[in-house]
């Protein structure tokens, strides 16, 4: 991981470098899990292919909001503009390294996971027409449409606790599946007791782990979700100028909507695929990575 002089991660993370004449995939990552999680995808790509992560968590105005109550001093448009500049610079550098003295770059695919897909779609529309990707691959990303812009009060604690259990399982490398009956209608404290019991039973946490320690992790996790929701609420997305490919996880955050709201933003077409795993483990499972690799590398 490259670090800037202030010790923050650099937004451009090259997980694998393309060989001469090979393609590079660029992927917008919003944090939550470390960007290194995409090394599974890098390994699944054809030999010689490159994978470069555009890491939102390297932008202080974005990641610090998850530590200060979920209120970010930025907008989706500003984040997209920042990463668009990083993308153009990375592509020009990659092109020169591949032997193009003018910096002309090959056609490429852009991807975005979770909230990274929202920023990636906004990023595309800020690029010059000749620099746009051939397609945008959305990895279990919820569309920034009115149907998915709930107020803070409309976020259901039962839903958030279920998402948190998925996140905790991914962080600890073992599934955490709390009893749905204990989560249903529970307040946060009682719901976290159910998550803690499931985590201990699965070996994800040690017996005797205090619930207040888990509460700190939960609050930070929810602040990250609130940040993304508050950034999305005022944002008015324009329809995509490139085809969209949506990969939903079998354990998607919104399991009942296979389009995750993207149809109104896909006049150039929306292709749907289903991946093994849940919202988080789809990034680390080899079988999911094999599917995603095919989609981001398709000619």
């Amino acid at each position: 991981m490259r670090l800037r002089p202030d010790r923050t991660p650099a937004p451009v993370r090259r997980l694998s470098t393309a060989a001469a004449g090979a393609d590079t995939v660029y992927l917008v990552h919003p944090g939550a899990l470390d960007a290194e999680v995409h090394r599974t995808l890098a390994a699944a790509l054809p030999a010689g292919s490159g994978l470069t992560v555009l890491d939102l968590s390297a932008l202080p105005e974005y990641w610090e909001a998850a530590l200060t109550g979920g209120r970010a001093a930025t907008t989706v448009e500003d984040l997209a503009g920042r990463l668009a500049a990083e993308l153009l610079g990375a592509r020009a550098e990659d092109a020169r390294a591949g032997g193009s003295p003018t910096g002309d770059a090959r056609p490429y695919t852009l991807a975005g996971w979770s909230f990274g897909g929202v920023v990636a779609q906004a990023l595309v529309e800020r690029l010059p027409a000749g620099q746009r990707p051939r397609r945008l691959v959305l990895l279990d990303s919820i569309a920034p449409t009115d149907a998915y812009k709930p107020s803070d009060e409309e976020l259901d604690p039962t839903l958030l606790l279920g998402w948190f259990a998925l996140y905790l399982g991914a962080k600890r490398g073992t599934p955490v599946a709390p009893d749905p009956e204990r989560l249903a209608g529970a307040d946060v404290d009682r719901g976290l007791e159910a998550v803690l019991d499931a985590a201990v039973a699965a070996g994800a946490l040690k017996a005797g782990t205090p619930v207040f320690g888990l509460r700190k992790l939960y609050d930070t996790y929810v602040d990250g979700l609130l940040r993304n929701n508050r950034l999305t609420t005022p944002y008015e997305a324009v329809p995509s100028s490139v085809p969209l490919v949506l990969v939903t996880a079998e354990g998607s955050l919104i399991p009942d909507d296979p389009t995750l709201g993207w149809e109104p933003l896909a006049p150039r077409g929306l292709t749907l695929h289903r991946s093994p795993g849940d919202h988080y483990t789809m990034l680390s499972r080899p079988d999911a990575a094999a599917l995603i690799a095919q989609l981001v590398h398709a000619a």
Side-chain angles (χ1 to χ4, degrees):
M1 175 173 63
R2 292 188 300 126
L3 295 181
R4 292 182 171 184
D6 63 1
R7 310 307 295 170
T8 58
V12 176
R13 304 268 298 272
R14 286 183 171 84
L15 299 188
S16 59
T17 301
D23 289 344
T24 294
V25 175
Y26 299 85
L27 189 154
V28 179
H29 178 72
L33 302 178
D34 191 277
E36 292 289 310
V37 73
H38 296 294
R39 288 200 179 276
T40 308
L41 174 58
L45 291 170
S49 300
L51 177 63
T52 293
V53 174
L54 304 173
D55 192 357
L56 276 170
S57 66
L59 305 182
E61 62 271 32
Y62 176 76
W63 74 264
E64 287 177 356
L67 306 177
T68 56
R71 299 192 182 279
T74 187
T75 64
V76 170
E77 294 91 338
D78 287 346
L79 293 172
R82 285 284 306 276
L83 289 192
E86 296 284 356
L87 172 64
L88 292 175
R91 279 178 38 76
E93 185 178 333
D94 291 343
R96 290 190 293 270
S100 173
T102 62
D104 295 333
R106 295 167 55 86
Y108 69 103
T109 295
L110 182 66
W113 172 63
S114 194
F115 179 70
V118 175
V119 176
Q121 197 266 333
L123 183 165
V124 169
E125 304 312 315
R126 281 154 181 76
L127 293 173
Q131 290 282 0
R132 291 174 183 169
R134 50 194 165 196
R135 73 184 69 79
L136 172 59
V137 179
L138 302 158
L139 304 178
D140 214 43
S141 178
I142 300 172
T145 49
D146 289 343
Y148 291 114
K149 292 183 178 182
S151 66
D152 291 357
E153 294 73 21
E154 292 173 318
L155 292 171
D156 179 11
T158 299
L159 186 67
L160 296 181
L161 286 160
W163 291 356
F164 175 67
L166 295 178
Y167 165 74
L168 180 62
K171 292 283 283 186
R172 295 293 182 172
T174 187
V176 174
D179 182 350
E181 292 186 2
R182 290 183 64 187
L183 289 187
D187 60 19
V188 172
D189 290 333
R190 288 188 293 121
L192 284 176
E193 290 175 358
V195 173
L196 178 57
D197 288 346
V200 171
L205 293 175
K206 294 181 179 179
T209 298
V211 72
F212 70 81
L214 194 61
R215 177 63 188 254
K216 291 181 180 179
L217 181 61
Y218 174 80
D219 287 344
T220 300
Y221 173 78
V222 170
D223 281 349
L225 294 178
L226 290 174
R227 170 200 58 199
N228 296 346
N229 190 59
R230 291 165 181 165
L231 285 167
T232 302
T233 297
Y235 172 58
E236 295 294 335
V238 299
S240 177
S241 60
V242 302
L244 301 181
V245 178
L246 174 63
V247 185
T248 56
E250 290 176 350
S252 175
L253 295 185
I254 308 292
D256 297 330
D257 183 357
T259 72
L260 295 183
W262 284 101
E263 281 184 316
L265 298 177
R268 299 290 303 276
L270 176 65
T271 306
L272 304 179
H273 296 271
R274 198 73 162 170
S275 163
D278 62 41
H279 181 70
Y280 299 99
T281 60
M282 70 183 298
L283 304 180
S284 57
R285 288 179 54 143
D287 52 356
L291 169 66
I292 295 167
Q294 293 178 359
L295 298 175
V296 298
H297 197 265

